[in-house]
Amino acid sequence: LQYHIPCIYDVEIRNVAYQDLTYQHCIDLDTIVTMPSRKKAMGKAKKAAKEEAAAATQAKAGTNNDHQSPPRPTLTSRGVDDVLRGIESMKLCTTHGFRLELLPTMRICGVFIDAFTEAYRISLQMESNVITALNAASAVCNKPMFGPVWNDVAKMEYVKAYYVTKGVKYILDEGRDDMAHNFAVFANYFEQTIGVANKTQPEVIPAKLAELLNGDMNTLVKYFRQHIPCNCLDEKYEEVKSITKLGFCCYSECPIPNRTVERKKMLYCTQCRVANYCSRECQVAHWPDHKDGCLKYMEKKANLPKSPVKKSSSPKAQ
C-alpha cells in the first residue's frame, strides 16, 4: 500500500458526498406530491376534455391513434411510495449505504480512521506481513481518546461501513482494484473485531484477510456486494463471478507462487478449521508453528457462549 488512504474528511468525500447529500435533503416532497387547488383541477379537467374531443375528431378523420400523446398519469398512493423509494435508492447508490447524516455524531470515527489507515501504511512499509501491520495500527490507535470507538459496536460498524463504501467506489468509480483489496482487508478486520467483541468468534482469522488481499476479483466483488444495501455491484459481479476463487496457503515457505491455489482444492486444519493449505506437505511443515496458536484458538472457541439457534460440533483433534 504505497498511497495515502484518504480519510473521511478528505476533499473527495467532503465536496462530493456532502453536495449530494445536501441536494437530496433539499428535495421537498411537498413540491413533488401536492394536491392541486380546486380551480386548477377544474382547469385541468376542461383541458383534458378538450384534448379528448380533439382526439376523437382526429380518430373520425382517420388519424392514427398510435401518434396520440399518452394520458397524463396521476400520482396515486402507490406512486408516492415509488417516489420515496426512488429518493432512498438515490441516496444509497450515492454512498452505497454509508450514512453521511450521522457524521456530526461520529466525528471521532473520522479521526480514528485517519489515524488507523496512516499507521497501517507506515507499518506496511516496514513490515510486509499484513496482520502485523494491522496489529501495529491497532496498537497506535489504542489510546484513551479512541476508547469511545473501540468500546462502541455502533461506531465500529460505522468505521467498517466507511471502508466498505470506499472500496466499492475504488472498484466502480476509479477502477483501482489494488486499493479496493486493501479496503476490503480494513472492512473485514473491523468486521471480525466486532465479532470478537460480540463473542461470536474467538479471534481475528488471518486467512480471511489474506484471501481478500491476495485473492481474485470474484471474491473481492462478492464480499463488497454482500455488505452494501444497493445493487451497484450486481453488473460487476456478473462479469467476475466466473473467475476461479483462490485461496491462500498459510505456510510461509509454500513453493507455489504467491501461495495462492484454487480454493476448492485446499486443505484445512482439522482442529481449528481456519488455517488453509495448498497441500499435505505444507500442512505438516507448518504444524510446529501453527500448533500453539491452534490450541489457543480452540480454547477460546470452547469458552464462547453456545449459540441457541445452531449447535456447533467441534471435530476431533488429530
Side-chain angles (χ1 to χ4, degrees), residues 220-234:
L220 180 68
V221 174
K222 183 178 181 179
Y223 174 79
F224 282 127
R225 183 169 175 260
Q226 291 175 338
H227 289 78
I228 58 176
C230 54
N231 59 357
C232 295
L233 284 176
D234 288 0

Side-chain angles (χ1 to χ4, degrees), residues 2 119-129 132-133 136:
Q2 299 295 332
Y120 174 85
R121 183 186 68 83
I122 295 174
S123 299
L124 198 61
Q125 289 180 342
M126 297 182 295
E127 173 61 55
S128 60
N129 189 301
T132 303

Side-chain angles (χ1 to χ4, degrees), residues 9-56:
Y9 300 108
D10 64 10
V11 176
E12 175 189 352
I13 288 292
R14 186 169 51 197
N15 289 347
V16 177
Y18 262 125
Q19 287 177 6
D20 292 340
L21 184 67
T22 303
Y23 170 75
Q24 292 155 13
H25 280 264
C26 285
I27 295 177
D28 185 1
L29 286 179
D30 291 334
T31 64
I32 301 176
V33 185
T34 56
M35 293 298 294
S37 64
R38 183 176 181 181
K39 184 176 181 179
K40 289 183 178 180
M42 292 177 65
K44 289 181 179 180
K46 290 181 180 180
K47 184 177 180 181
K50 289 181 180 180
E51 290 177 352
E52 290 179 1

Side-chain angles (χ1 to χ4, degrees), residues 10-170:
D10 64 10
V11 176
E12 175 189 352
I13 288 292
R14 186 169 51 197
N15 289 347
V16 177
Y18 262 125
Q19 287 177 6
D20 292 340
L21 184 67
T22 303
Y23 170 75
Q24 292 155 13
H25 280 264
C26 285
I27 295 177
D28 185 1
L29 286 179
D30 291 334
T31 64
I32 301 176
V33 185
T34 56
M35 293 298 294
S37 64
R38 183 176 181 181
K39 184 176 181 179
K40 289 183 178 180
M42 292 177 65
K44 289 181 179 180
K46 290 181 180 180
K47 184 177 180 181
K50 289 181 180 180
E51 290 177 352
E52 290 179 1
T57 302
Q58 290 179 357
K60 290 179 180 180
T63 305
N64 189 353
N65 292 334
D66 294 338
H67 296 286
Q68 296 180 23
S69 299
R72 181 169 179 165
T74 57
L75 194 58
T76 61
S77 59
R78 182 177 179 181
V80 174
D81 293 338
D82 290 340
V83 171
L84 295 174
R85 281 196 296 268
I87 293 175
E88 183 66 14
S89 176
M90 178 177 63
K91 179 171 68 173
L92 292 177
C93 288
T94 301
T95 62
H96 308 295
F98 184 68
R99 302 183 63 185
L100 288 168
E101 69 273 15
L102 295 181
L103 278 177
T105 60
M106 295 288 188
R107 291 193 178 277
I108 186 62
C109 295
V111 181
F112 175 87
I113 290 170
D114 196 24
F116 186 88
T117 50
E118 180 65 11
Y120 174 85
R121 183 186 68 83
I122 295 174
S123 299
L124 198 61
Q125 289 180 342
M126 297 182 295
E127 173 61 55
S128 60
N129 189 301
V130 174
I131 301 301
T132 303
L134 288 170
N135 291 335
S138 298
V140 170
C141 294
N142 189 19
K143 300 177 180 179
M145 67 175 294
F146 293 136
V149 179
W150 289 114
N151 299 324
D152 189 339
V153 174
K155 288 184 172 60
M156 295 288 283
E157 290 281 2
Y158 197 74
V159 171
K160 183 196 76 173
Y162 167 76
Y163 286 127
V164 168
T165 298
K166 288 294 291 183
V168 173
K169 285 181 175 291
Y170 274 122

Side-chain angles (χ1 to χ4, degrees), residues 68-314:
Q68 296 180 23
S69 299
R72 181 169 179 165
T74 57
L75 194 58
T76 61
S77 59
R78 182 177 179 181
V80 174
D81 293 338
D82 290 340
V83 171
L84 295 174
R85 281 196 296 268
I87 293 175
E88 183 66 14
S89 176
M90 178 177 63
K91 179 171 68 173
L92 292 177
C93 288
T94 301
T95 62
H96 308 295
F98 184 68
R99 302 183 63 185
L100 288 168
E101 69 273 15
L102 295 181
L103 278 177
T105 60
M106 295 288 188
R107 291 193 178 277
I108 186 62
C109 295
V111 181
F112 175 87
I113 290 170
D114 196 24
F116 186 88
T117 50
E118 180 65 11
Y120 174 85
R121 183 186 68 83
I122 295 174
S123 299
L124 198 61
Q125 289 180 342
M126 297 182 295
E127 173 61 55
S128 60
N129 189 301
V130 174
I131 301 301
T132 303
L134 288 170
N135 291 335
S138 298
V140 170
C141 294
N142 189 19
K143 300 177 180 179
M145 67 175 294
F146 293 136
V149 179
W150 289 114
N151 299 324
D152 189 339
V153 174
K155 288 184 172 60
M156 295 288 283
E157 290 281 2
Y158 197 74
V159 171
K160 183 196 76 173
Y162 167 76
Y163 286 127
V164 168
T165 298
K166 288 294 291 183
V168 173
K169 285 181 175 291
Y170 274 122
I171 292 176
L172 294 177
D173 302 339
E174 303 179 26
R176 293 294 307 278
D177 297 340
D178 56 338
M179 293 294 288
H181 279 285
N182 283 284
F183 275 84
V185 170
F186 293 147
N188 187 254
Y189 178 76
F190 284 101
E191 181 180 3
Q192 293 196 59
T193 302
I194 293 170
V196 174
N198 290 335
K199 297 183 179 180
T200 57
Q201 69 179 73
E203 60 186 34
V204 174
I205 301 173
K208 293 183 179 180
L209 301 171
E211 286 182 356
L212 289 171
L213 182 66
N214 305 295
D216 52 276
M217 285 300 295
N218 186 346
T219 299
L220 180 68
V221 174
K222 183 178 181 179
Y223 174 79
F224 282 127
R225 183 169 175 260
Q226 291 175 338
H227 289 78
I228 58 176
C230 54
N231 59 357
C232 295
L233 284 176
D234 288 0
E235 184 177 349
K236 184 67 176 179
Y237 180 68
E238 290 296 323
E239 296 177 5
V240 302
K241 68 178 184 180
S242 60
I243 297 176
T244 302
K245 292 183 179 181
L246 301 177
F248 189 74
C249 182
C250 292
Y251 182 44
S252 60
E253 301 298 325
C254 175
I256 296 178
N258 299 323
R259 296 160 59 186
T260 55
V261 66
E262 190 174 355
R263 192 180 304 170
K264 66 180 182 180
K265 296 181 180 179
M266 298 195 74
L267 306 175
Y268 58 86
C269 175
T270 55
Q271 290 193 97
C272 65
R273 292 180 175 267
V274 296
N276 302 319
Y277 301 96
C278 66
S279 64
R280 175 67 177 171
E281 290 74 18
C282 283
Q283 185 176 9
V284 172
H286 188 236
W287 177 245
D289 296 329
H290 175 63
K291 181 178 180 180
D292 291 340
C294 181
L295 296 177
K296 291 179 181 179
Y297 180 89
M298 294 303 296
E299 290 177 1
K300 293 178 181 179
K301 185 176 180 179
N303 293 327
L304 292 178
K306 301 297 182 181
S307 174
V309 178
K310 183 179 179 180
K311 296 182 179 180
S312 59
S313 57
S314 302

